[in-house]
Amino acid sequence: MPPIPARPEEVAPDHEIESLAEFDAVVAAHGTLARFRVQAVDLTARTEDLLKLDTEGAVFLGCPMDAEAAAQVAARGALVFPPVPGLPFDPYRGFAYTPDELFASLADGYEATPDARAYEWFQRTKSDGDILASMLRAVHDDSVSDALDELLAGARVVGVMGGHAMARGTEEYAGAARLGRELARAGFTVATGGGPGAMEAANLGAYAAPFEDGMLGEALRILAKAPSFAPSVTDWARAAFEVRERWPDGGDSVGIPTWFYGHEPPNAFASHLGKYFANATREDGLLARSNAGVVFLPGAAGTVQEIFDNATPNYYGSRGNPTPMVLVDEEHWTEKLPTWPLLRALARERPMESRIALVGRIELASDALKRLAEQ
């Protein structure tokens, strides 16, 4: 670890302490907490350390600690933001969510899970004008962004976008799952909107990547018992966890869902879930992190929005060189929702022109993505 910065404004990302093990390692190595940021770590068992260590310029974000310790670290120049009681989420969390975390208590029905309770809190507070609630949502979403930045540092991320309506048990769903598996096996990190349908299928494919090919077919048959999250999110989620229990320790991928679309639950196959309250922050972050390109499967308004949200920085070069964009299903994107002609017109005679493609079948998407990356 580099020397501790002399001023708080110079604090580097690796001066964040996000676990008790990391706290102990920092104390052992440095003998000080000065100018560190301690994020959502339960310090009730570290009172002795807190009473004796230098904490000047440190910040404690939502860290449970003994009252005497909290008073002492503040008196020594630290900022202490105490945990907020009664919330179904931690606004200061240091890591992305996991499916097990969001679906805890699924045995009692989806309504009992932290995911459903967070959505209920959001519905209850989003329109009452309470500045505390809006501040907590903003702090939470910033914490999630920070966690995703740390998680994906150095990764080659391919976004897979598509609609939530794609049902399990269909050939379209199976194709999206095979695409996710192929991308994961090629060394990419698959990132989706983290919801059902095409998003779940791509995350499922990445989950299946370490297993023999036959596993995916068996998993698809299990999932087909609950084709959609409607009418029962509980049954839909339980089918996914049945797959996870039969084949534990699947491959990693990322889902970035939102409570803004609370009727769409997150899927259980993304190993890391960066769930947001603010959909605009979520949308921009998902596309910005897809640094190796994006595949757009057939979808409706949300997917159309994502296409042009991605096309805009490629058009202006605001994120550097344009990244590949592959649209799948010619009929969908030229007739049903004629997005491709406009995208091609925008790209004409610009650097992004060589980074866009339209393919007829999902089996062609991975090769098209690789080809565009070489342009």
mmCIF file of all heavy atoms in Angstrom, residues 234-252:
data_model
loop_
_atom_site.group_PDB
_atom_site.id
_atom_site.type_symbol
_atom_site.label_atom_id
_atom_site.label_comp_id
_atom_site.label_asym_id
_atom_site.label_seq_id
_atom_site.Cartn_x
_atom_site.Cartn_y
_atom_site.Cartn_z
ATOM 1 N N THR A 234 -41.963 -15.467 -6.759
ATOM 2 C CA THR A 234 -41.463 -16.500 -5.854
ATOM 3 C C THR A 234 -41.138 -17.779 -6.618
ATOM 4 O O THR A 234 -40.039 -18.337 -6.496
ATOM 5 C CB THR A 234 -42.488 -16.785 -4.740
ATOM 6 O OG1 THR A 234 -42.751 -15.579 -4.021
ATOM 7 C CG2 THR A 234 -41.959 -17.836 -3.778
ATOM 8 N N ASP A 235 -42.073 -18.272 -7.427
ATOM 9 C CA ASP A 235 -41.846 -19.500 -8.187
ATOM 10 C C ASP A 235 -40.729 -19.315 -9.202
ATOM 11 O O ASP A 235 -39.905 -20.213 -9.413
ATOM 12 C CB ASP A 235 -43.135 -19.917 -8.905
ATOM 13 C CG ASP A 235 -44.217 -20.379 -7.937
ATOM 14 O OD1 ASP A 235 -43.892 -20.657 -6.763
ATOM 15 O OD2 ASP A 235 -45.389 -20.444 -8.362
ATOM 16 N N TRP A 236 -40.714 -18.151 -9.839
ATOM 17 C CA TRP A 236 -39.675 -17.848 -10.841
ATOM 18 C C TRP A 236 -38.288 -17.868 -10.199
ATOM 19 O O TRP A 236 -37.348 -18.476 -10.726
ATOM 20 C CB TRP A 236 -40.000 -16.480 -11.442
ATOM 21 C CG TRP A 236 -39.011 -15.920 -12.404
ATOM 22 C CD1 TRP A 236 -38.912 -16.181 -13.735
ATOM 23 C CD2 TRP A 236 -37.976 -14.979 -12.101
ATOM 24 N NE1 TRP A 236 -37.881 -15.448 -14.289
ATOM 25 C CE2 TRP A 236 -37.296 -14.710 -13.313
ATOM 26 C CE3 TRP A 236 -37.573 -14.339 -10.933
ATOM 27 C CZ2 TRP A 236 -36.225 -13.818 -13.374
ATOM 28 C CZ3 TRP A 236 -36.499 -13.452 -10.995
ATOM 29 C CH2 TRP A 236 -35.837 -13.195 -12.201
ATOM 30 N N ALA A 237 -38.145 -17.246 -9.053
ATOM 31 C CA ALA A 237 -36.852 -17.185 -8.380
ATOM 32 C C ALA A 237 -36.455 -18.544 -7.822
ATOM 33 O O ALA A 237 -35.278 -18.928 -7.869
ATOM 34 C CB ALA A 237 -36.895 -16.146 -7.259
ATOM 35 N N ARG A 238 -37.409 -19.285 -7.298
ATOM 36 C CA ARG A 238 -37.088 -20.606 -6.734
ATOM 37 C C ARG A 238 -36.543 -21.547 -7.802
ATOM 38 O O ARG A 238 -35.652 -22.353 -7.537
ATOM 39 C CB ARG A 238 -38.327 -21.204 -6.066
ATOM 40 C CG ARG A 238 -38.637 -20.577 -4.701
ATOM 41 C CD ARG A 238 -39.931 -21.112 -4.121
ATOM 42 N NE ARG A 238 -40.171 -20.562 -2.780
ATOM 43 C CZ ARG A 238 -41.331 -20.664 -2.134
ATOM 44 N NH1 ARG A 238 -42.365 -21.277 -2.699
ATOM 45 N NH2 ARG A 238 -41.471 -20.143 -0.921
ATOM 46 N N ALA A 239 -37.062 -21.454 -9.025
ATOM 47 C CA ALA A 239 -36.533 -22.280 -10.111
ATOM 48 C C ALA A 239 -35.067 -21.946 -10.384
ATOM 49 O O ALA A 239 -34.246 -22.835 -10.632
ATOM 50 C CB ALA A 239 -37.383 -22.093 -11.368
ATOM 51 N N ALA A 240 -34.732 -20.667 -10.329
ATOM 52 C CA ALA A 240 -33.344 -20.263 -10.542
ATOM 53 C C ALA A 240 -32.444 -20.795 -9.433
ATOM 54 O O ALA A 240 -31.331 -21.286 -9.684
ATOM 55 C CB ALA A 240 -33.252 -18.747 -10.621
ATOM 56 N N PHE A 241 -32.908 -20.719 -8.200
ATOM 57 C CA PHE A 241 -32.081 -21.215 -7.101
ATOM 58 C C PHE A 241 -31.982 -22.739 -7.120
ATOM 59 O O PHE A 241 -30.997 -23.307 -6.638
ATOM 60 C CB PHE A 241 -32.610 -20.701 -5.762
ATOM 61 C CG PHE A 241 -32.142 -19.319 -5.447
ATOM 62 C CD1 PHE A 241 -32.944 -18.213 -5.738
ATOM 63 C CD2 PHE A 241 -30.886 -19.094 -4.913
ATOM 64 C CE1 PHE A 241 -32.502 -16.929 -5.476
ATOM 65 C CE2 PHE A 241 -30.429 -17.812 -4.648
ATOM 66 C CZ PHE A 241 -31.242 -16.714 -4.930
ATOM 67 N N GLU A 242 -32.974 -23.416 -7.693
ATOM 68 C CA GLU A 242 -32.859 -24.863 -7.887
ATOM 69 C C GLU A 242 -31.690 -25.178 -8.817
ATOM 70 O O GLU A 242 -30.905 -26.114 -8.570
ATOM 71 C CB GLU A 242 -34.163 -25.417 -8.461
ATOM 72 C CG GLU A 242 -34.148 -26.922 -8.660
ATOM 73 C CD GLU A 242 -35.451 -27.454 -9.249
ATOM 74 O OE1 GLU A 242 -36.476 -26.725 -9.186
ATOM 75 O OE2 GLU A 242 -35.447 -28.588 -9.775
ATOM 76 N N VAL A 243 -31.554 -24.402 -9.879
ATOM 77 C CA VAL A 243 -30.413 -24.574 -10.784
ATOM 78 C C VAL A 243 -29.104 -24.290 -10.055
ATOM 79 O O VAL A 243 -28.130 -25.047 -10.153
ATOM 80 C CB VAL A 243 -30.569 -23.659 -12.018
ATOM 81 C CG1 VAL A 243 -29.283 -23.650 -12.852
ATOM 82 C CG2 VAL A 243 -31.756 -24.089 -12.858
ATOM 83 N N ARG A 244 -29.058 -23.209 -9.315
ATOM 84 C CA ARG A 244 -27.830 -22.842 -8.596
ATOM 85 C C ARG A 244 -27.451 -23.896 -7.556
ATOM 86 O O ARG A 244 -26.262 -24.151 -7.337
ATOM 87 C CB ARG A 244 -28.014 -21.479 -7.921
ATOM 88 C CG ARG A 244 -27.914 -20.289 -8.883
ATOM 89 C CD ARG A 244 -28.437 -19.011 -8.238
ATOM 90 N NE ARG A 244 -27.964 -18.866 -6.883
ATOM 91 C CZ ARG A 244 -26.894 -18.150 -6.512
ATOM 92 N NH1 ARG A 244 -26.198 -17.516 -7.443
ATOM 93 N NH2 ARG A 244 -26.551 -18.051 -5.251
ATOM 94 N N GLU A 245 -28.422 -24.482 -6.918
ATOM 95 C CA GLU A 245 -28.121 -25.503 -5.909
ATOM 96 C C GLU A 245 -27.620 -26.798 -6.559
ATOM 97 O O GLU A 245 -26.753 -27.485 -6.007
ATOM 98 C CB GLU A 245 -29.374 -25.779 -5.077
ATOM 99 C CG GLU A 245 -29.720 -24.635 -4.132
ATOM 100 C CD GLU A 245 -31.141 -24.709 -3.613
ATOM 101 O OE1 GLU A 245 -31.817 -25.753 -3.855
ATOM 102 O OE2 GLU A 245 -31.590 -23.733 -2.978
ATOM 103 N N ARG A 246 -28.149 -27.124 -7.710
ATOM 104 C CA ARG A 246 -27.689 -28.333 -8.400
ATOM 105 C C ARG A 246 -26.300 -28.143 -8.994
ATOM 106 O O ARG A 246 -25.496 -29.076 -9.020
ATOM 107 C CB ARG A 246 -28.697 -28.706 -9.490
ATOM 108 C CG ARG A 246 -28.356 -29.990 -10.203
ATOM 109 C CD ARG A 246 -29.484 -30.475 -11.076
ATOM 110 N NE ARG A 246 -29.096 -31.638 -11.868
ATOM 111 C CZ ARG A 246 -29.866 -32.225 -12.779
ATOM 112 N NH1 ARG A 246 -31.105 -31.764 -12.979
ATOM 113 N NH2 ARG A 246 -29.434 -33.257 -13.469
ATOM 114 N N TRP A 247 -26.027 -26.948 -9.477
ATOM 115 C CA TRP A 247 -24.699 -26.647 -10.046
ATOM 116 C C TRP A 247 -24.128 -25.421 -9.330
ATOM 117 O O TRP A 247 -24.191 -24.296 -9.846
ATOM 118 C CB TRP A 247 -24.799 -26.365 -11.543
ATOM 119 C CG TRP A 247 -25.197 -27.554 -12.347
ATOM 120 C CD1 TRP A 247 -24.405 -28.577 -12.764
ATOM 121 C CD2 TRP A 247 -26.513 -27.840 -12.869
ATOM 122 N NE1 TRP A 247 -25.127 -29.488 -13.500
ATOM 123 C CE2 TRP A 247 -26.423 -29.056 -13.580
ATOM 124 C CE3 TRP A 247 -27.746 -27.187 -12.794
ATOM 125 C CZ2 TRP A 247 -27.525 -29.637 -14.222
ATOM 126 C CZ3 TRP A 247 -28.851 -27.749 -13.417
ATOM 127 C CH2 TRP A 247 -28.740 -28.960 -14.121
ATOM 128 N N PRO A 248 -23.592 -25.607 -8.136
ATOM 129 C CA PRO A 248 -23.067 -24.445 -7.400
ATOM 130 C C PRO A 248 -21.765 -23.933 -8.017
ATOM 131 O O PRO A 248 -21.127 -24.611 -8.833
ATOM 132 C CB PRO A 248 -22.826 -25.006 -5.994
ATOM 133 C CG PRO A 248 -22.612 -26.471 -6.201
ATOM 134 C CD PRO A 248 -23.467 -26.862 -7.373
ATOM 135 N N ASP A 249 -21.387 -22.728 -7.617
ATOM 136 C CA ASP A 249 -20.097 -22.140 -8.022
ATOM 137 C C ASP A 249 -19.987 -21.975 -9.526
ATOM 138 O O ASP A 249 -18.983 -22.362 -10.149
ATOM 139 C CB ASP A 249 -18.934 -22.981 -7.485
ATOM 140 C CG ASP A 249 -18.985 -23.156 -5.978
ATOM 141 O OD1 ASP A 249 -19.301 -22.162 -5.289
ATOM 142 O OD2 ASP A 249 -18.742 -24.277 -5.498
ATOM 143 N N GLY A 250 -21.003 -21.388 -10.131
ATOM 144 C CA GLY A 250 -20.942 -21.103 -11.552
ATOM 145 C C GLY A 250 -20.050 -19.919 -11.861
ATOM 146 O O GLY A 250 -19.418 -19.319 -10.982
ATOM 147 N N GLY A 251 -19.994 -19.559 -13.136
ATOM 148 C CA GLY A 251 -19.142 -18.462 -13.570
ATOM 149 C C GLY A 251 -19.671 -17.105 -13.145
ATOM 150 O O GLY A 251 -20.863 -16.928 -12.883
ATOM 151 N N ASP A 252 -18.764 -16.148 -13.105
ATOM 152 C CA ASP A 252 -19.107 -14.792 -12.676
ATOM 153 C C ASP A 252 -19.680 -13.971 -13.825
ATOM 154 O O ASP A 252 -19.310 -14.144 -14.989
ATOM 155 C CB ASP A 252 -17.867 -14.068 -12.132
ATOM 156 C CG ASP A 252 -17.406 -14.616 -10.800
ATOM 157 O OD1 ASP A 252 -18.213 -15.314 -10.146
ATOM 158 O OD2 ASP A 252 -16.257 -14.368 -10.411
#
